[in-house]
Amino acid sequence: MMPLFKQGENMEKDILKKGFSNLCTAKAMTALYEDNFKQVSKYVHATSRGHEAIQTALGMQLLPQDYAFPYYRDDAMLLALGMKPYDLMLQLLAKKDDPFSGGRTYYSHPSLRDDDKPKIPHQSSATGMQAIPATGVAMGFWYKENIGIEDTSVKEKPFVVCSLGDASVTEGEIAEAFQMAALKQLPILYLVQDNGWDISANAEETRAQNAFEYACGFNGLEAVSIDGANFTESYLAIEKAIKTIREERRPILVHAKVPLLNHHTSGVRMEWYRDDLDEAKSRDPYPVLRQQLIENGISESEIDQIEADAVQKVTSDYKKALEAEDPKPEDLFTHDFAPTPVTEETGERFPERDDKVVMVDCALFAVEELMKKHKECLVYGQDVGGRLGGVFREAATLAQKFGDERVFNTPIQEAFIVGSTVGMSAVGLKPIVEVQFADYIWPGLNQLFTEVSRSCYLTNGKWPVSMILRVPIGAYGSGGPYHSSSVESVITNIRGIKIAYPSNGADLKGLMKAAYYDPNPVVILEHKGLYWSKVPGTKGATSIEPSEDYLLPFGKANVLQEIWKQEDKETLTIVSYGMGVHWAMNATKGMRDQVEVIDLRTLYPLDEDAVVKSVKKTGKCLVVTEEPVNNSFARSLAGMIQEKCFKYLDGPVMTIGSENMPAIPLNSTLEQTMIPSTEKVKQKIEELLKY
């Protein structure tokens, strides 16, 4: 355990006065919000009342090169970082010029990218999920220092602060973050503010141990417990922790015991359920710090003036914030994505080469080329390291070529794999990560939905997440119920990410390259049955490997089999992606003058224009998917086609996919009964042509 503050240790007067001013400002804001409750309670907020001392002590010591992940009660910390009451009040009132989100998210949900302040990437409501992105920043520092691309212009090495409420430490994702921080010895400070309460549930009923005791179970994570209501003790303990982290590059957890002297949030009032309010008030950090100023020779009149100035500033900033402009309706539609530089197909798709290569190698070569060119590019996930190179050999030889710092294994931690990319991207890296099978993506969906996909939008464009998530998908070779699922309908319901689902190696390489240069998060769904073209009828997935500079933009479908408009024959359009494209091509042999086949290549953005143009020409449409059809992306696509092409249709827009059963069975006969096939698609084509 680190040595704590000792009674009798003195603080510089300027630090004490600055800390007291900050505490008084945060305290005055809480009082003002209570006095104007009806006016400010339109939007939910929480305040730092009772937590001000530890938050101020930490915020005062951060530098512009540091990264911070404050949680929703950390307004005193934000003030200590250099934010003004007015800045915070713009967010409190959801105003257009809210510097964090432009009125899109709650009070004290910050994101900041100012040159003169610590950097604050996006995080959600910060009930534990933020620990993974924060640890991702620390892992980014670790990576850059290991391969020699860190910023050497700063005198003090940067570190990361992850601020947590005590109740959030029971989250499973906290364990994933602590594990990786301890394993790789990452430069991060976890600050846990323990006020003994969740919302109405208290510590006795929700946890077996406090955060200090819990952290002691992680070998390599040092922990210290302090009185977070004592500013001097907090400042000195934080000072020692920061010095250690900057110099020794290892994680430390500070467990700060604090009282909660205000409501959980403005909507959940403390008097409804609290039975410890008198005891909590007895631990108020305000009189403690005031007394410390007096003991250090600062006059009561000067102290009173500091407090009066804080109250006056809060009052005047509030009046100004009330008059600030609200967002306009059109402000809704900005910053869902950052602009991508890849808008046109460029480079050679079919250069002169001797042989075609399998799909998995096209992706491997793309990643290798990117890693050679960009030191910011790294690969991690389960079993992608040097011993195996991925269970599908999709990362084969990469660790040997680029080293264990650039290509490394993670524990079985899908949430960390996905969510850490937020932090890695924030420090200028481009992580290419993967989950081993689509069936394993579920633990990572919280991070993908809550942190990754919303970052650009909820930070008003400041923090897009630039990452690639590779997902082997689909049924192949009796993989059984835990290695065969199709999950695109779930993924396509997450707004703020781009999604590719290629059917061949050339497309996969071009899309992989485009994804790398795209500043937004990209999920690439890669069908396992197409990797080596071992499934009968999938030789079309092999390709002449495109050139190194080949880029294929997202949102451009491929009319793989084109027909002309015919008046004397029934014609139709097949729309598909991934394995479905091969079923479609094989099923249309002998009728290729009647069936146009469109390979979507990307599910978002979706090339609606190509689909609508084709269906208007042919008059009929079949959507082919491997997913069960009920409530699926394919049926949604069919609905869009029906809506936009209704007066051109000569029959219903049909879909074919897997049977609507809970899982794909292991037995090969049952598996083939479950999923589509060339013959099943052919029968559906014939049915629709005769309609």
Side-chain angles (χ1 to χ4, degrees):
M1 182 186 294
M2 295 173 52
L4 302 183
F5 162 71
K6 298 173 184 174
Q7 294 297 328
E9 284 191 66
N10 293 319
M11 295 282 293
E12 293 181 19
K13 291 182 180 182
D14 285 346
I15 292 175
L16 286 170
K17 289 193 287 186
K18 185 177 179 182
F20 184 67
S21 174
N22 199 81
L23 186 152
C24 288
T25 302
K27 177 174 175 285
M29 288 165 60
T30 298
L32 181 142
Y33 297 165
E34 286 298 295
D35 291 343
N36 296 273
F37 178 73
K38 288 188 177 179
Q39 203 159 19
V40 302
S41 62
K42 179 178 181 181
Y43 306 113
V44 172
H45 65 270
T47 71
S48 59
R49 189 71 188 96
H51 294 226
E52 302 99 329
I54 182 62
Q55 290 181 21
T56 300
L58 176 57
M60 287 173 61
Q61 299 187 62
L62 298 183
L63 301 175
Q65 63 265 34
D66 297 328
Y67 279 65
F69 286 74
Y71 90 117
Y72 59 82
R73 199 174 297 287
D74 281 346
D75 57 7
M77 187 187 299
L78 294 173
L79 292 170
L81 295 178
M83 304 305 292
K84 306 302 181 192
Y86 178 70
D87 300 323
L88 304 188
M89 291 167 180
L90 289 175
Q91 189 175 49
L92 174 78
L93 301 169
K95 295 294 186 175
K96 179 182 176 70
D97 292 330
D98 153 29
F100 303 131
S101 72
R104 289 175 173 171
T105 194
Y106 300 101
Y107 178 72
S108 201
H109 285 59
S111 59
L112 200 62
R113 206 164 190 168
D114 292 355
D115 290 339
D116 62 341
K117 298 181 185 71
K119 308 304 175 278
I120 306 178
H122 165 263
Q123 58 185 339
S124 64
S125 283
T127 51
M129 289 83 73
Q130 77 274 26
I132 286 177
T135 307
V137 169
M139 192 162 75
F141 289 151
W142 167 87
Y143 174 80
K144 293 170 84 170
E145 290 163 17
N146 267 284
I147 69 165
I149 61 170
E150 76 271 31
D151 182 2
T152 56
S153 67
V154 293
K155 182 179 177 182
E156 307 246 29
K157 286 190 175 183
F159 78 105
V160 190
V161 170
C162 177
S163 180
L164 299 155
D166 59 297
S168 72
V169 179
T170 59
E171 285 273 0
E173 292 181 6
I174 296 288
E176 294 193 15
F178 287 2
Q179 175 74 20
M180 285 298 286
L183 176 68
K184 292 195 175 291
Q185 290 294 279
L186 303 180
I188 186 167
L189 170 64
Y190 298 105
L191 170 64
V192 179
Q193 299 172 58
D194 186 353
N195 60 37
W197 288 92
D198 185 343
I199 297 179
S200 66
N202 62 26
E204 286 69 27
E205 58 189 304
T206 58
R207 67 188 189 196
Q209 65 280 306
N210 66 34
F212 167 76
E213 295 160 339
Y214 183 58
C216 289
F218 290 87
N219 186 28
L221 174 59
E222 185 174 350
V224 57
S225 189
I226 65 172
D227 179 4
N230 184 316
F231 175 77
T232 301
E233 178 175 339
S234 296
Y235 192 95
L236 294 172
I238 291 292
E239 185 177 49
K240 291 171 183 174
I242 289 176
K243 184 176 188 295
T244 300
I245 296 169
R246 288 201 197 280
E247 294 176 357
E248 299 181 19
R249 316 308 280 159
R250 60 183 176 88
I252 294 176
L253 181 142
V254 173
H255 170 245
K257 293 170 284 189
V258 292
L260 179 59
L261 301 181
N262 196 36
H263 314 292
H264 171 73
T265 66
S266 55
V268 183
R269 315 295 287 174
M270 57 186 173
E271 58 269 13
W272 294 349
Y273 58 90
R274 294 278 296 277
D275 55 8
D276 66 338
L277 292 176
D278 289 339
E279 189 275 334
K281 288 174 185 175
S282 72
R283 295 187 290 126
D284 189 341
Y286 165 75
V288 176
L289 181 50
R290 185 182 177 96
Q291 183 60 33
Q292 288 172 351
L293 266 69
I294 293 171
E295 291 171 357
N296 279 269
I298 301 166
S299 68
E300 292 211 30
S301 61
E302 186 176 357
I303 293 170
D304 290 343
Q305 188 60 53
I306 291 172
E307 185 163 13
D309 289 346
V311 172
Q312 190 277 327
K313 175 64 173 171
V314 166
T315 302
S316 63
D317 278 12
Y318 177 64
K319 291 176 181 176
K320 182 180 171 186
L322 286 174
E323 301 302 317
E325 184 182 2
D326 285 317
K328 294 180 171 60
E330 56 267 28
D331 294 329
L332 174 69
F333 301 101
T334 60
H335 302 301
D336 50 343
F337 290 98
T340 177
V342 182
T343 57
E344 299 294 334
E345 186 173 4
T346 57
E348 284 190 84
R349 183 177 173 89
F350 300 118
E352 288 189 16
R353 300 188 195 268
D354 293 335
D355 298 304
K356 291 183 175 182
V357 297
V358 293
M359 190 169 170
V360 73
D361 284 346
C362 274
L364 177 63
F365 299 153
V367 174
E368 183 175 338
E369 289 166 0
L370 289 166
M371 294 189 75
K372 282 180 180 176
K373 191 172 182 179
H374 304 284
K375 284 193 172 181
E376 297 80 12
C377 181
L378 70 158
V379 174
Y380 58 94
Q382 294 164 24
D383 295 303
V384 301
R387 290 191 189 90
L388 187 60
V391 295
F392 300 104
R393 306 294 288 152
E394 70 280 6
T397 73
L398 291 180
Q400 289 87 346
K401 290 176 179 175
F402 298 104
D404 293 336
E405 292 84 10
R406 295 191 67 190
V407 183
F408 56 88
N409 293 326
T410 65
I412 302 173
Q413 291 186 346
E414 287 83 8
F416 186 88
I417 291 167
V418 174
S420 60
T421 64
V422 176
M424 298 290 263
S425 171
V427 296
L429 301 174
K430 183 74 178 199
I432 300 175
V433 300
E434 66 173 70
V435 296
Q436 218 163 60
F437 295 90
D439 308 71
Y440 299 170
I441 200 170
W442 309 116
L445 283 183
N446 186 20
Q447 290 289 325
L448 187 63
F449 176 79
T450 308
E451 309 297 337
V452 175
S453 72
R454 296 178 167 192
S455 182
C456 187
Y457 187 69
L458 290 181
T459 65
N460 231 15
K462 292 192 296 294
W463 293 102
V465 177
S466 189
M467 59 85 86
I468 300 172
L469 172 60
R470 298 180 66 183
V471 184
I473 193 171
Y476 165 65
S478 296
Y482 306 112
H483 302 82
S484 307
S485 295
S486 293
V487 300
E488 60 264 30
S489 291
V490 174
I491 305 302
T492 52
N493 266 287
I494 300 176
R495 280 73 179 175
I497 59 175
K498 297 186 179 182
I499 306 157
Y501 200 153
S503 68
N504 61 78
D507 285 353
L508 178 52
K509 183 173 184 182
L511 291 166
M512 184 79 73
K513 290 291 186 75
Y516 183 85
Y517 296 110
D518 196 311
N520 301 288
V522 174
V523 177
I524 303 182
L525 305 173
E526 305 173 20
H527 199 289
K528 306 190 304 289
L530 301 179
Y531 268 156
W532 299 287
S533 290
K534 290 182 179 179
V535 176
T538 60
K539 287 296 180 187
T542 63
S543 306
I544 296 292
E545 185 200 348
S547 62
E548 183 172 348
D549 62 349
Y550 179 63
L551 297 170
L552 181 60
F554 278 58
K556 303 286 186 183
N558 184 19
V559 184
L560 199 59
Q561 182 169 288
E562 190 169 8
I563 65 171
W564 61 96
K565 185 171 179 63
Q566 300 173 62
E567 303 296 342
D568 57 340
K569 275 186 180 178
E570 292 293 318
T571 57
L572 68 81
T573 298
I574 293 181
V575 181
S576 194
Y577 51 90
M579 182 64 83
V581 171
H582 298 274
W583 291 325
M585 292 298 290
N586 294 328
T588 56
K589 288 177 181 176
M591 58 179 83
R592 290 192 170 164
D593 60 340
Q594 290 181 269
V595 182
E596 187 153 292
V597 178
I598 294 180
D599 181 355
L600 291 176
R601 301 201 283 207
T602 65
L603 308 187
Y604 194 88
L606 179 68
D607 193 347
E608 292 186 8
D609 291 343
V611 173
V612 169
K613 179 182 177 183
S614 177
V615 175
K616 285 181 177 179
K617 174 174 62 177
T618 64
K620 292 180 178 178
C621 183
L622 174 64
V623 180
V624 179
T625 180
E626 188 172 317
E627 276 195 303
V629 168
N630 282 5
N631 305 308
S632 65
F633 166 78
R635 188 152 277 172
S636 174
L637 177 59
M640 182 276 291
I641 295 167
Q642 191 104 338
E643 183 178 324
K644 295 196 172 185
C645 303
F646 182 75
K647 65 181 180 180
Y648 298 91
L649 291 171
D650 297 323
V653 179
M654 293 187 176
T655 56
I656 182 171
S658 291
E659 300 296 334
N660 290 296
M661 303 306 292
I664 297 177
L666 180 65
N667 178 272
S668 58
T669 300
L670 297 177
E671 178 189 57
Q672 291 306 309
T673 304
M674 173 87 174
I675 65 175
S677 64
T678 295
E679 188 55 40
K680 291 176 185 177
V681 172
K682 186 175 182 179
Q683 290 173 9
K684 200 71 174 178
I685 292 169
E686 291 171 348
E687 176 189 345
L688 185 51
L689 285 172
K690 292 174 183 176
Y691 191 90

